[in-house]
Amino acid sequence: MRPGLSLPSTLHASSAFAIALLGGVAAYVVLLLGDVGGGGYDALRDVFFYNALLVAAALFCLARPVFRRNARLPWTLVGLGLLAWVIGDLYYELAFANADEVPFPSLADGFYLLLYPLVYAGLALLLYSRLEDIRTDLWVDGVIAALAIAAVGAALVFDVIVETTGGDFWTVWTNMAYVIADLGLIGVVTFVLAITGWHLDRSWIFVLVGCFVFSVADTAYLYATATETYQAGALMDAGWLAGIALIAVAAWQPRRPVVAVRVDGLWAFALPTAFGALALGLLVYDHFMPVNTTALVLSGAAVAAVIVRMVLTFRRNAHLLETSRRDAETDELTGLANRRLLLHDLENRIEAGVPTLLLMFDLDGFKSYNDAFGHGAGDALLHRLARRLGVAAEPYGRAYRMGGDEFCIVADGDNLDRGRITSAALRALRDEGDGFQISSAYGAAMLPDEATELSEALRIADTRLYGNKDSRRASAGRQTREVLLSILDE
């Protein structure tokens, strides 16, 4: 923003100019519909007033990157595109106003066509800066929509323009460039709507409506010219003006913060389904009433994009299902398998009769540690011990967290060194430091030798666990008494 110009004053001035610009466009449309003219009024309306509004709109858009810092490059490109079209229109008006025969293509057509790549580039950069974390399937939705709309447009106007266009190579391909560029602009509008799920701010609403109005007016002009029905001062002239003015006004609208687009539920499938059906319907229609090759190629590409969309949707749903299953079977704090997966694995092993060692562990000293150092430190300790236990159990089987400070290992029972795995697990669940000491009691059960039902296996291991815990407490009590007796004896 230039020195001396405050943001509020710039906003007020831009709002006032936008209202005046759109009011001027509305006044021009009213003059056209009322057929206000005659004498010198037609020239005043269609030359001076019309072109003054065009120049004002282009300069208004170009002023946007001068006075605002954000999104300068996108709006500069869009503004230059509008200015190029206005220069082409002014050149055409000045050079060929009184000409008996207008050359085609001319320098004016070069400026007219320059609008499209500049606007395409500006809108692409603007879209990139406004959105983040758009899923791949939403991009494909945009491609499907753009291809389907372009295919329908090509089927409606392409044949007429091709059949009625005469002249040399450059004449034919200049006309085709206009058609392709206008269909592309409509495709851009549809693409943006598709990937954003119609979540648009005021700026995008103005710019997309402006692009749509402009492209429809230009396509209607090409069709009218091809069929020799165009008359100067028609409403399609107002369409060009309105489209450019709306795009210019869009540049000054408040910018909504960048958001991650989320489109789920029925709407996520409705849009690609509708546009895919539109493209498929055009292919079916071709069997009864042949359409041009361009429309068929675009329709076929849209249907192919629908197939790609189906593949992406299947992969995404499979990934979500796998993630949900993994989350449902994983302890959130430690990352070990949880009680749900423990019961599932034990049930499968019991049904298959696989020899299995079930080891259950309960930490000693964890409650005192939690009380002394806090729950955050307690969670960190559990995570650290669980990671060690997982490493210790890996050569033999899998480690689980049953809940609280209780852990479990399920190991293959064939040729298993029971003492080695038990010792490795007890070492993993041992920790000590200033003011604390953590150890673990354990209980074991062999399946299916000692139990053929899940509940019985858990009961046996749990009973032995608490028997081990009681014996450890009794041993600790005896040691304490012996120390006290020794002190008294001294």
Side-chain angles (χ1 to χ4, degrees):
M1 192 165 57
R2 289 180 174 177
L5 293 176
S6 64
L7 184 59
S9 64
T10 304
L11 290 174
H12 291 318
S14 63
S15 299
F17 194 90
I19 293 172
L21 180 61
L22 294 179
V25 174
Y28 179 78
V29 173
V30 170
L31 292 175
L32 280 180
L33 293 176
D35 196 22
V36 177
Y41 290 104
D42 283 341
L44 180 63
R45 180 194 65 194
D46 297 330
V47 178
F48 296 104
F49 188 40
Y50 179 81
N51 286 296
L53 289 172
L54 283 177
V55 172
L59 295 179
F60 185 46
C61 187
L62 280 173
R64 159 63 169 77
V66 175
F67 291 98
R68 292 193 185 177
R69 296 178 180 177
N70 62 299
R72 280 181 168 172
L73 180 58
W75 286 117
T76 299
L77 292 173
V78 172
L80 290 175
L82 300 185
L83 184 63
W85 198 93
V86 172
I87 291 173
D89 201 60
L90 291 173
Y91 174 82
Y92 185 91
E93 192 67 42
L94 295 173
F96 309 121
N98 299 316
D100 295 331
E101 185 176 351
V102 178
F104 186 82
S106 67
L107 183 60
D109 293 293
F111 282 107
Y112 285 145
L113 290 171
L114 186 57
L115 171 140
Y116 296 98
L118 289 172
V119 170
Y120 289 159
L123 293 182
L125 291 175
L126 190 64
L127 181 65
Y128 181 78
S129 67
R130 293 290 180 92
L131 303 173
E132 65 177 14
D133 193 25
I134 301 181
R135 299 195 313 251
T136 304
D137 52 357
L138 294 182
W139 288 106
V140 177
D141 286 351
V143 172
I144 294 170
L147 290 172
I149 292 297
V152 173
L156 293 175
V157 301
F158 211 81
D159 286 337
V160 175
I161 296 174
V162 170
E163 291 171 2
T164 56
T165 298
D168 58 13
F169 172 86
W170 292 109
T171 300
V172 173
W173 279 102
T174 300
N175 260 335
M176 291 303 98
Y178 279 114
V179 176
I180 294 170
D182 287 326
L183 292 176
L185 201 56
I186 295 176
V188 167
V189 173
T190 315
F191 176 81
V192 173
L193 291 174
I195 69 170
T196 59
W198 298 78
H199 294 90
L200 301 173
D201 59 13
R202 203 161 58 191
S203 177
W204 271 110
I205 292 173
F206 272 101
V207 77
L208 294 184
V209 172
C211 289
F212 182 78
V213 170
F214 181 90
S215 57
V216 169
D218 202 55
T219 303
Y221 166 77
L222 294 172
Y223 184 88
T225 302
T227 56
E228 299 181 351
T229 58
Y230 173 73
Q231 294 181 351
L235 272 179
M236 60 190 67
D237 295 342
W240 287 319
L241 175 59
I244 289 177
L246 287 168
I247 295 172
V249 170
W252 291 89
Q253 299 307 304
R255 182 185 182 188
R256 189 171 64 183
V258 176
V259 294
V261 176
R262 294 287 184 269
V263 181
D264 294 301
L266 182 61
W267 179 253
F269 299 99
L271 196 142
T273 301
F275 284 107
L278 184 63
L280 182 61
L282 192 58
L283 292 174
V284 174
Y285 177 79
D286 177 65
H287 286 276
F288 303 97
M289 296 289 291
V291 298
N292 59 75
T293 304
T294 302
L296 291 179
V297 170
L298 292 171
S299 298
V303 173
V306 171
I307 296 174
V308 173
R309 175 65 158 84
M310 291 173 57
V311 173
L312 291 175
T313 301
F314 176 79
R315 289 181 57 187
R316 180 169 175 268
N317 289 341
H319 175 71
L320 290 175
L321 183 62
E322 175 63 23
T323 301
S324 299
R325 185 189 65 79
R326 186 170 59 250
D327 291 344
E329 296 175 345
T330 302
D331 179 65
E332 184 177 0
L333 175 62
T334 63
L336 295 180
N338 62 12
R339 184 182 183 88
R340 181 198 299 268
L341 187 57
L342 169 66
L343 299 180
H344 178 267
D345 289 348
L346 283 176
E347 189 72 42
N348 288 341
R349 283 177 166 271
I350 290 173
E351 290 180 0
V354 178
T356 302
L357 170 64
L358 172 62
L359 284 170
M360 296 180 65
F361 302 90
D362 185 84
L363 298 181
D364 288 331
F366 178 72
K367 185 179 183 304
S368 300
Y369 182 91
N370 229 11
D371 293 340
F373 299 101
H375 293 289
D379 289 344
L381 175 66
L382 288 177
H383 181 78
R384 185 166 65 250
L385 296 179
R387 187 173 66 251
R388 293 179 189 171
L389 184 65
V391 173
E394 189 173 355
Y396 311 99
R398 170 180 275 181
Y400 305 78
R401 183 191 180 201
M402 299 185 67
D405 59 351
E406 295 182 349
F407 296 90
C408 183
I409 289 179
V410 173
D412 294 330
D414 288 332
N415 302 319
L416 179 68
D417 189 338
R418 183 168 169 177
R420 177 178 296 178
I421 184 175
T422 302
S423 298
L426 291 175
R427 285 195 301 271
L429 295 176
R430 183 179 299 121
D431 201 358
E432 61 181 315
D434 293 338
F436 77 93
Q437 183 174 8
I438 303 295
S439 59
S440 177
Y442 78 94
M446 286 296 299
L447 312 177
D449 295 344
E450 297 180 318
T452 56
E453 294 185 1
L454 177 60
S455 58
E456 181 65 14
L458 293 174
R459 187 191 65 78
I460 292 174
D462 191 62
T463 300
R464 291 174 178 172
L465 166 66
Y466 282 96
N468 178 255
K469 185 178 285 285
D470 291 340
S471 65
R472 286 160 55 88
R473 288 172 179 169
S475 175
R478 285 195 300 271
Q479 293 177 4
T480 302
R481 286 195 299 272
E482 290 174 359
V483 170
L484 291 175
L485 290 174
S486 175
I487 293 173
L488 291 173
D489 184 61
E490 289 294 331

